[in-house]
Amino acid sequence: MKKRNKFKHSLYLLIALAMLLYALPQLSFQNGPSWVLGFGIVWCVFAFLIIAAHLHFIIGVDEEKQKRLEAVRKHKLEQWQGKWNEETRMSQRL
């Protein structure tokens, strides 16, 4: 499943790069500041953020953090199951 996710993120990264490469030459700085130029710059900033997010996932910077979070989730689930079992035993005694 991880390979599929990495493939999906790689595909989205390539699409975002293609969109950015298409849009950058369309920006015109000759007319001075305008709403169109402002929109283009903001759009490019968002495209760079999307590219950075996908690269972050593909490179796997957060793999250690994910492992720690999964360990915490397992521990919480075990605690919840223990409480559930204890409540079930208590209710059966009544």
Side-chain angles (χ1 to χ4, degrees), residues 16-27:
L17 279 171
M19 289 175 23
L20 187 63
L21 290 175
Y22 176 78
L24 282 177
Q26 306 295 327
L27 289 178

Side-chain angles (χ1 to χ4, degrees), residues 32-70:
S34 67
W35 288 105
V36 175
L37 179 63
F39 174 79
I41 291 172
V42 169
W43 189 89
C44 287
V45 167
F46 280 123
F48 281 122
L49 285 173
I50 290 168
I51 291 167
H54 288 295
L55 277 175
H56 183 77
F57 183 84
I58 291 169
I59 293 172
V61 176
D62 281 340
E63 283 185 21
E64 181 63 33
K65 185 177 180 182
Q66 277 184 322
K67 288 178 184 176
R68 286 184 289 170
L69 285 173
E70 189 62 35

